[in-house]
């Protein structure tokens, strides 16, 4: 177990309001090895961010509930911890980079103060030492350290994301969760930020969960890859396994939808239909209604997760005994 | 910044010209002769004519107006028809009295209102939130003079701890301040509550939580300053409003304030006093607005660039929102 930094077992997260119950995360099981990068892929609403917020203990108050399961960080269950214990873990052992750097920084505090804040929270040091550390962090993410006195509005979007990354890495966390860190940035900046993140991840040996809907990013950055659909992990394996030999029809459909430079096509391939309503999930396979490879059995029950090869799993009836003949 | 302040003070000139022109115009169309008003019904026509000449009332309005403006530029606001005293020396002490009450009232209203607003934002949708709403709405819906009378009943008549009227001692200020202050709690509470709720939903609050920051520090260090931007605006407005609009209250508590002074002057057709009072209030309003805008810059660093570079007021507000 010691080579695993984080292991999630049978995690179920619901958003409960007066009107409905949204089943955002349904029974997911995941492990992340120390120093490894796991890509969490899926379309909007697949439950990627909810999983991340669940790990951080930052689900929306009153609405978000962990129904069952465990999230173990180095063997201790985060879900059983007190608010105080969780606070000592957030920012110190697990950090998170959020999607939109434009709004992730407090507009009325200098960036130096915002980086120093997390340093002061988790280390016994003076304000001056924390500010020194903040300047070092700025230098590390490629910003002139003297700018620590500037306010967020004086930086561009890409630079703000660098600052957010500096905050996340300031206490050298064991695990970094990056929730679509480049989605809000333009393409040229995306590459810079990803390069920088990969470099820092390698240098510090940080484990990382990279949430994205960009398969290219996964191919470039990740050791393992989990494909999420309607709150479930439908396929999991090493990045090579999942990319070279996709087993789940959804993963295959995702690849087909990537535009290719070699082929001259009128229209891009799409996955027909809509993601099923998470407040009204079917009792059978949730991808069944959009699946091009389905058989009668698919609408009759929920498939089990099957290990199709060593370390490569898929949640599909194709790999079950019942598939033949039905 | 200094250039900005100078520019804003220069803006006073057209405002004051406008205010004085309107009051001068009103003076010419309202019926009644101030000279007759001063001398009384027993005076002869000759005496009245002489007085009119003395007051310069026979000059064309434009000449009267220019003379008045020239006087104001030299610090001469004319003499009160009623007392013959210089208007300025009558207004300044009254303005001081009104300012004390206003400042005290706004302080009471803003401090209590902001506190209650924060509490109800942090405890949103609980009974605490509802209770705060009910209390603040109560004080807003009851007219000020009713609150004033109830306070007099309790503190002056029953408990004998505060004087019922007058400001002979510092105690006399307490009830007027309370009356105005309590009435304004509701608006501060509502502005603070909605602003705080909006701020607490911002991404940077989630960032602070992700750092492992405590809820108390998040409220105090991250949310409060961002919450205060609309509150500061509202404090500025109500400072101006209660300074000139305290006539009812000043009458109930017999406080010699500037609001009562102007109302008395209007009924007596004492134009120099009306003009002087209105101009002083206009000056103070402009200065308060300037102070509020400067406080915005202190609260929100994003505005500094726009203000120093001379951005127009509209873009500033738009960015603040």
């Amino acid at each position: 177990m010691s080579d695993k930094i984080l292991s999630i077992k049978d995690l179920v997260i619901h958003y409960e309001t007066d009107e409905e119950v949204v089943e955002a995360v349904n029974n997911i099981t995941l492990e992340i090895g120390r120093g490894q990068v796991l890509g969490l892929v899926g379309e909007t609403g697949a439950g990627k961010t909810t999983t991340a917020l669940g790990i951080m203990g930052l689900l929306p108050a009153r609405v978000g509930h962990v129904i069952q399961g465990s999230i173990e960080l180095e063997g201790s269950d985060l879900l059983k911890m007190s608010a105080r214990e969780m606070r000592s873990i957030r920012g110190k052992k697990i950090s998170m980079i959020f999607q939109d750097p434009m709004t992730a920084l407090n507009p009325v505090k200098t960036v130096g103060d915002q980086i120093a804040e997390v340093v002061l929270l988790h280390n016994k040091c003076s304000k001056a030492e924390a500010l020194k550390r903040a300047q070092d962090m700025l230098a590390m993410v490629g910003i002139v350290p003297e700018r620590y006195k500037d306010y967020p509005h004086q930086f561009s979007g890409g630079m703000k994301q660098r600052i957010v990354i500096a905050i996340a890495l300031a206490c050298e966390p064991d695990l970094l969760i990056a929730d679509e860190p480049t989605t809000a940035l333009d393409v040229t900046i995306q590459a810079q930020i990803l390069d920088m993140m990969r470099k820092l991840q390698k240098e510090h040996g940080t484990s990382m969960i990279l949430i994205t809907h960009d398969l290219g990013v996964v191919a470039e950055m990740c050791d393992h890859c989990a494909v999420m659909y309607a709150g479930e992990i439908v396929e999991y394996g090493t990045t090579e396994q999942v990319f070279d030999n996709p087993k789940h029809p959804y993963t295959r459909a995702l690849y087909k939808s990537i535009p290719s430079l070699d082929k001259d096509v009128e229209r891009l391939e799409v996955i027909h239909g809509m993601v099923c309503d998470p407040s009204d999930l079917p009792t059978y396979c949730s991808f069944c209604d959009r699946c091009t490879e389905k058989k009668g059995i698919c609408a009759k029950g929920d498939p089990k997760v099957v290990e199709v090869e060593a370390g490569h799993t898929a949640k599909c009836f194709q790999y079950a005994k019942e598939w033949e003949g039905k | 910044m200094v250039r900005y302040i100078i520019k804003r003070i220069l803006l006073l000139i057209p405002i004051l010209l406008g205010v004085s022109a309107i009051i001068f115009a009103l003076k010419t169309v309202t019926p009644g002769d101030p000279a007759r008003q001063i001398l009384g019904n027993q005076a002869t026509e000759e005496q009245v004519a002489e007085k009119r000449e003395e007051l310069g009332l026979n000059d064309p309005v434009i000449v009267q107006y220019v003379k008045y403006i020239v006087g104001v530029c030299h610090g001469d606001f004319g003499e009160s028809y009623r007392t013959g005293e210089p208007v300025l020396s009558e207004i300044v002490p009254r303005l001081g009295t009104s300012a004390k009450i206003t400042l005290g009232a706004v302080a009471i209203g803003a401090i209590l209102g902001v506190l209650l607003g924060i509490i109800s934002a942090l405890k949103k949708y609980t009974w605490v939130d509802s209770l705060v709403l009910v209390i603040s709405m109560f004080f807003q819906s009851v007219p000020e003079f009713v609150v004033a009378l109830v306070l007099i009943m309790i503190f002056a008549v029953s408990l004998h701890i505060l004087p019922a009227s007058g400001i002979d001692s510092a105690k006399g200020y307490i009830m007027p301040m309370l009356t105005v202050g309590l009435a304004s709690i509701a608006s501060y509470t509502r502005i603070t509550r909605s602003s705080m709720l909006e701020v607490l939903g911002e991404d940077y609050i989630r960032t602070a939580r992700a750092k492992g920051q405590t809820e108390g520090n998040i409220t105090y260090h991250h949310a409060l300053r961002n919450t205060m931007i609309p509150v500061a605006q509202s404090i500025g407005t109500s400072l101006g409003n209660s300074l000139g609009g305290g006539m009812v209250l000043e009458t109930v508590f017999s406080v010699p304030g500037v609001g009562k002074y102007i109302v008395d002057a209007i009924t007596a057709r004492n134009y120099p006093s009306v003009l002087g009072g209105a101009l002083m209030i206009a000056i103070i309003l402009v200065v308060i607005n300037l102070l509020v805008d400067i406080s915005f810059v202190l609260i929100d660093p994003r505005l500094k660039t726009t203000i120093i570079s001379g951005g127009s007021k509209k873009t500033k507000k738009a960015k603040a929102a």
Side-chain angles (χ1 to χ4, degrees):
Chain A
M1 270 315 273
S2 63
D3 59 327
K4 299 293 176 208
I5 177 100
L6 187 86
S7 55
I8 301 174
K9 274 203 195 72
D10 307 323
L11 184 69
V12 176
I13 299 176
H14 287 179
Y15 290 116
E16 293 173 0
T17 60
D18 291 343
E19 291 88 37
E20 57 182 13
V21 174
V22 175
E23 300 173 45
V25 171
N26 300 309
N27 228 353
I28 68 167
T29 296
L30 263 183
E31 282 185 335
I32 296 132
R34 201 173 286 277
Q36 302 244 294
V37 181
L38 169 79
L40 208 52
V41 203
E43 38 194 313
T44 307
K48 309 183 297 284
T49 302
T50 305
T51 308
L53 293 177
I55 297 169
M56 292 293 284
L58 288 177
L59 288 167
R62 278 183 283 275
V63 182
H65 299 284
V66 175
I67 304 297
Q68 65 160 68
S70 65
I71 302 173
E72 286 182 4
L73 180 77
E74 296 173 315
S76 44
D77 192 349
L78 298 179
L79 297 174
K80 295 203 174 80
M81 286 188 183
S82 67
R84 178 189 288 268
E85 287 171 309
M86 265 322 278
R87 278 203 296 274
S88 69
I89 284 186
R90 281 200 288 268
K92 171 74 182 160
K93 296 205 152 178
I94 312 179
S95 278
M96 186 158 173
I97 299 171
F98 294 102
Q99 189 168 352
D100 190 353
M102 302 300 170
T103 55
L105 296 169
N106 191 334
V108 303
K109 289 169 99 63
T110 64
V111 298
D113 278 346
Q114 297 192 52
I115 303 173
E117 181 185 8
V118 67
V119 179
L120 280 170
L121 273 170
H122 299 290
N123 298 287
K124 284 200 177 78
C125 66
S126 69
K127 181 89 199 278
E129 285 165 340
L131 273 174
K132 180 76 191 53
R133 172 82 181 148
Q135 293 179 54
D136 295 345
M137 290 308 295
L138 282 177
M140 197 177 90
V141 296
I143 294 175
V144 190
E146 286 72 37
R147 293 199 66 187
Y148 77 99
K149 276 185 276 185
D150 285 349
Y151 290 93
H153 71 278
Q154 291 162 301
F155 293 89
S156 69
M159 286 170 103
K160 278 185 204 164
Q161 192 62 298
R162 287 168 189 265
I163 294 162
V164 172
I165 292 169
I167 292 174
L169 294 178
C171 292
E172 303 193 319
D174 300 329
L175 175 65
L176 179 66
I177 304 174
D179 184 3
E180 309 204 22
T182 56
T183 307
L185 304 173
D186 65 60
V187 184
T188 48
I189 308 295
Q190 284 186 7
Q192 284 180 15
I193 296 284
L194 287 173
D195 279 349
M196 189 189 78
M197 284 178 62
R198 187 166 44 187
K199 191 171 131 263
L200 294 176
Q201 185 267 331
K202 288 254 151 55
E203 275 171 17
H204 297 266
T206 316
S207 316
M208 187 156 101
I209 300 179
L210 180 64
I211 296 174
T212 178
H213 49 239
D214 188 337
L215 289 166
V217 172
V218 176
E220 218 172 299
M221 304 264 304
C222 301
D223 305 303
H224 286 81
C225 170
V227 182
M228 282 193 83
Y229 184 81
E232 294 171 328
I233 289 173
V234 292
E235 183 160 3
Y236 171 83
T238 64
T239 309
E240 285 83 26
Q241 286 171 334
V242 176
F243 274 67
D244 296 342
N245 192 11
K247 288 296 183 187
H248 195 279
Y250 177 62
T251 318
R252 286 199 277 261
L254 277 182
Y255 289 133
K256 275 191 210 144
S257 68
I258 301 175
S260 161
L261 284 177
D262 312 329
K263 277 181 258 170
D264 189 19
V265 286
E266 280 286 306
R267 300 182 69 97
L268 294 175
E269 287 278 342
V270 294
I271 306 176
H272 290 284
M274 296 282 290
V275 187
C276 40
D277 180 359
S279 63
D280 185 22
L281 288 178
T283 52
Y284 48 90
C285 172
S286 53
F287 188 59
C288 172
D289 295 338
R290 303 171 77 184
C291 187
T292 51
E293 305 170 23
K294 67 181 167 212
K295 280 192 181 181
I297 184 177
C298 297
K300 287 189 184 118
D302 200 21
K304 295 225 165 19
V305 175
V306 181
E307 185 159 30
V308 287
E309 58 182 307
H312 186 185
T313 60
K315 187 173 181 292
C316 180
F317 278 120
Q318 287 184 25
Y319 311 102
K321 286 187 225 80
E322 303 94 317
W323 183 256
E324 293 309 320
K326 297 224 175 145
Chain B
M1 194 71 185
V2 177
R3 264 187 64 188
Y4 171 74
I5 294 173
I6 293 172
K7 218 167 91 186
R8 286 291 297 272
I9 290 173
L10 288 179
L11 268 181
L12 253 177
I13 298 171
I15 294 173
L16 295 184
L17 284 176
V19 170
S20 53
I22 291 172
I23 298 170
F24 246 86
L26 286 177
K27 173 178 157 183
T28 57
V29 295
T30 39
D33 185 351
R36 169 65 71 190
Q37 194 90 19
I38 295 166
L39 296 172
N41 287 333
Q42 280 78 35
T44 63
E45 281 303 317
E46 281 125 50
Q47 282 174 313
V48 171
E50 203 176 308
K51 191 75 185 171
R52 285 185 63 84
E53 192 59 44
E54 184 195 322
L55 294 174
L57 291 174
N58 293 330
D59 293 340
V61 182
I62 298 291
V63 176
Q64 287 184 39
Y65 181 63
V66 172
K67 273 187 185 162
Y68 181 76
I69 295 297
V70 171
V72 168
C73 292
H74 293 91
D76 173 18
F77 283 72
E79 275 113 39
S80 164
Y81 288 169
R82 203 168 57 86
T83 58
E85 294 287 315
V87 170
L88 199 60
S89 62
E90 283 194 339
I91 286 181
V92 170
R94 288 181 162 81
L95 210 52
T97 308
S98 290
K100 276 183 211 158
I101 294 178
T102 301
L103 286 176
V106 169
I108 291 172
I111 291 170
L112 288 178
V114 167
L115 271 178
L116 288 175
I118 293 171
I119 291 170
S120 61
L122 295 179
K123 303 273 174 200
K124 64 172 172 178
Y125 310 133
T126 63
W127 63 270
V128 181
D129 188 16
S130 315
L131 184 72
V132 167
L133 184 75
V134 169
I135 293 174
S136 56
M137 287 306 279
F138 174 80
F139 284 114
Q140 196 182 30
S141 15
V142 180
E144 275 185 17
F145 69 90
V146 176
V147 176
L149 292 176
V150 171
L151 287 178
I152 291 176
M153 290 264 289
I154 297 174
F155 293 106
V157 180
S158 305
L159 298 175
H160 300 291
I161 46 175
L162 294 174
S165 68
I167 45 159
D168 306 327
S169 68
K171 275 182 176 178
Y173 285 103
I174 296 178
M175 281 200 286
M177 284 178 183
L178 263 182
T179 311
V180 184
L182 288 176
S184 62
I185 285 180
S187 64
Y188 291 118
T189 305
R190 256 180 302 145
I191 293 166
T192 309
R193 180 182 184 272
S194 62
S195 172
M196 178 66 105
L197 283 180
E198 196 185 311
V199 168
L200 285 178
E202 293 282 351
D203 285 353
Y204 53 80
I205 299 296
R206 190 179 54 182
T207 306
R209 291 205 175 102
K211 288 177 185 171
Q213 188 57 278
T214 59
E215 287 302 310
N217 274 334
I218 287 174
T219 310
Y220 185 71
H221 289 294
H222 287 276
L224 197 57
R225 208 163 138 193
N226 285 294
T227 304
M228 289 315 284
I229 295 168
V231 179
Q233 169 85 65
S234 159
I235 288 177
T237 324
S238 64
L239 270 177
N241 286 345
S242 33
L243 194 60
M247 304 104 177
V248 176
L249 187 88
E250 287 170 5
T251 312
V252 174
F253 287 109
S254 12
V255 174
V258 76
K260 189 158 185 297
Y261 180 76
I262 294 178
V263 172
D264 290 347
I266 291 172
T267 33
R269 291 198 182 76
N270 188 353
Y271 292 112
S273 299
V274 178
L275 262 174
L279 286 184
M280 287 307 276
I281 286 178
I283 293 172
I284 288 168
L285 279 183
V286 172
V287 172
I288 287 175
N289 269 321
L290 178 61
L291 291 178
V292 168
D293 283 351
I294 292 172
S295 79
F296 279 169
V297 179
L298 298 179
I299 296 174
D300 187 346
R302 281 170 297 182
L303 298 177
K304 202 180 248 163
T305 5
T306 22
I307 286 188
I308 289 177
S309 64
S312 74
K313 222 172 153 202
K314 272 211 176 110
T315 54
K316 250 168 51 200
K317 293 276 159 60
K319 279 190 185 157

